[in-house]
């Protein structure tokens, strides 16, 4: 059985990451995977994050599919379908320390992409949109973090904030399902991981609800700054731990 400290740490990470998701409209994997990777093996953290992203987002699909921006979503999903298996293969071939360094790099890329704040005059073409989706799929398979490329894409796209937010929810739910399928068929799940994901679902739902309430109160003024600050902190913490693990393995 997991130690009490591990249970409490995992519960707090899932809840706070869900609050971030509810507040910003994205970011669960970006927050949860690096932090859970400090408590359990990074591969297990990715599996749990994927399951929670899928289960937490599935309930939003019925309402979201009518408002989502399908002209871009269908091409983003096509790219993600191609990129996700590559990321999953890479995940199983890297060490724990290297995985944390890669996750840190993903978070730093999110900080840079979101801070740039550039906008498209017109929507990118199909080829460029598929490429963004493929990059997101690579991140999805490697670290359950499809967010950075796609979030930057929709922040820069000439669509309303509401349409962008709903489109991101739909995209993250679908990409989580894409990444989950081979892990289930491949027997990667242990009973302990499945139990942890199931126990985390109420925390995911409650945390998202709390984040939604915070967004309605403060989001218009503070959500971008809060997201960038959180991502930067996660990148630094994961990077330091990853460097320490790589140096320890080499010595």
């Amino acid at each position: 059985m997991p130690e009490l400290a591990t249970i409490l740490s995992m519960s707090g990470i899932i809840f706070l990451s869900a609050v971030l998701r509810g507040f910003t409209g994205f970011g669960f994997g970006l927050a949860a995977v690096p932090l859970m990777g400090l408590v359990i093996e990074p591969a297990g953290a990715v599996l749990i994050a994927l399951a929670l992203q899928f289960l937490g987002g599935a309930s939003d699909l019925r309402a979201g599919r009518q408002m989502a921006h399908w002209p871009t979503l269908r091409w983003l999903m096509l790219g993600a379908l191609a990129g996700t298996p590559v990321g999953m293969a890479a995940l199983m071939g890297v060490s724990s320390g290297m995985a944390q360094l890669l996750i840190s790099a993903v978070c730093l890329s999110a900080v840079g992409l979101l801070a740039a704040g550039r906008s498209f005059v017109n929507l990118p073409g199909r080829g460029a949109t598929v490429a963004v989706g493929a990059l997101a799929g690579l991140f999805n398979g490697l670290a359950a973090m499809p967010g950075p490329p796609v979030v930057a894409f929709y922040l820069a796209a000439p669509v309303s904030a509401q349409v962008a937010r709903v489109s991101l929810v739909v995209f993250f739910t679908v990409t989580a399902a894409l990444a989950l399928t081979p892990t289930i068929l491949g027997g990667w799940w242990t009973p302990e991981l499945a139990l942890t994901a199931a126990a985390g679902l109420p925390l995911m739902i409650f945390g998202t609800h709390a984040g939604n309430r915070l967004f309605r109160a403060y989001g218009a003024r503070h959500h971008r700054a809060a997201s960038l600050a959180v991502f930067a902190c996660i990148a630094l913490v994961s990077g330091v731990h990853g460097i320490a693990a790589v140096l320890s393995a080499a010595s």
Side-chain angles (χ1 to χ4, degrees):
M1 293 294 292
E3 296 181 358
L4 179 60
T6 300
I7 294 173
L8 293 176
S9 297
M10 291 290 290
S11 298
I13 290 166
I14 291 170
F15 175 76
L16 292 175
S17 300
V19 171
L20 177 64
R21 175 181 183 264
F23 184 74
T24 63
F26 58 90
F28 179 80
L30 282 168
V33 171
L35 295 177
M36 286 194 294
L38 304 177
V39 181
I40 63 175
E41 283 297 312
V46 170
L47 293 178
I48 291 170
L50 284 172
L52 291 176
Q53 286 182 146
F54 173 70
L55 294 172
S59 60
D60 300 326
L61 283 181
R62 178 173 296 182
R65 66 185 181 185
Q66 299 298 327
M67 190 181 299
H69 194 267
W70 289 104
T72 53
L73 268 176
R74 61 172 59 97
W75 298 109
L76 289 169
M77 290 176 182
L78 179 63
L81 181 63
T84 295
V86 178
M88 296 299 291
L91 169 66
M92 302 310 294
V94 298
S95 67
S96 173
M98 187 59 65
Q100 288 187 342
L101 286 176
L102 291 172
I103 289 169
S104 176
V106 170
C107 292
L108 285 173
S109 72
V111 173
L113 289 168
L114 293 173
R118 298 181 182 273
S119 298
F120 302 130
V121 176
N122 300 302
L123 285 170
R126 292 176 182 178
T129 305
V130 169
V132 172
L135 183 59
L138 179 66
F139 285 5
N140 185 46
L142 177 64
M145 295 181 184
V150 178
V151 169
F153 179 90
Y154 277 116
L155 286 178
V159 298
S160 70
Q162 189 174 15
V163 169
R165 186 182 179 91
V166 171
S167 299
L168 287 170
V169 169
V170 173
F171 180 83
F172 294 153
T173 303
V174 172
T175 51
L178 289 176
L180 269 177
T181 301
T183 70
I184 295 171
L185 296 176
W188 294 12
W189 284 86
T190 64
E192 184 175 343
L193 283 175
L195 180 62
T196 302
L201 183 57
L203 293 168
M204 172 76 160
I205 295 172
F206 182 57
T208 299
H209 177 70
N212 287 335
R213 296 192 65 176
L214 285 173
F215 177 78
R216 288 194 291 271
Y218 306 108
R221 290 173 292 171
H222 302 300
H223 78 283
R224 178 181 289 270
S227 297
L228 292 176
V230 170
F231 293 163
C233 289
I234 292 169
L236 289 174
V237 171
S238 294
V240 168
H241 280 262
I243 291 171
V246 170
L247 292 177
S248 176
S251 62

